Amino acid sequence: MSDHVYNIVELVRSAMTSIEDAIQTAIKRAGQTLRNLQWFEVV
């Protein structure tokens, strides 16, 4: 059995065009500073 450790990071981003643009921009920015970013959840 492997042990997994998860870190929860809250990202807040807005966009004038669409929610998809806001999500893509936030994930792109997070990927520049977070290592091993493999999945995300939008709530």
Side-chain angles (χ1 to χ4, degrees), residues 18-35:
S18 69
I19 186 139
E20 288 83 9
D21 287 341
I23 293 167
Q24 288 180 2
T25 303
I27 298 301
K28 182 178 179 181
R29 177 66 177 96
Q32 293 174 353
T33 57
L34 299 174
R35 291 180 298 172

Side-chain angles (χ1 to χ4, degrees), residues 1-38:
M1 181 164 123
S2 64
D3 294 328
H4 296 282
V5 176
Y6 297 95
N7 186 21
I8 297 174
V9 177
E10 182 175 348
L11 303 172
V12 179
R13 179 68 183 183
S14 63
M16 297 296 288
T17 53
S18 69
I19 186 139
E20 288 83 9
D21 287 341
I23 293 167
Q24 288 180 2
T25 303
I27 298 301
K28 182 178 179 181
R29 177 66 177 96
Q32 293 174 353
T33 57
L34 299 174
R35 291 180 298 172
N36 300 321
L37 180 61
Q38 296 179 358

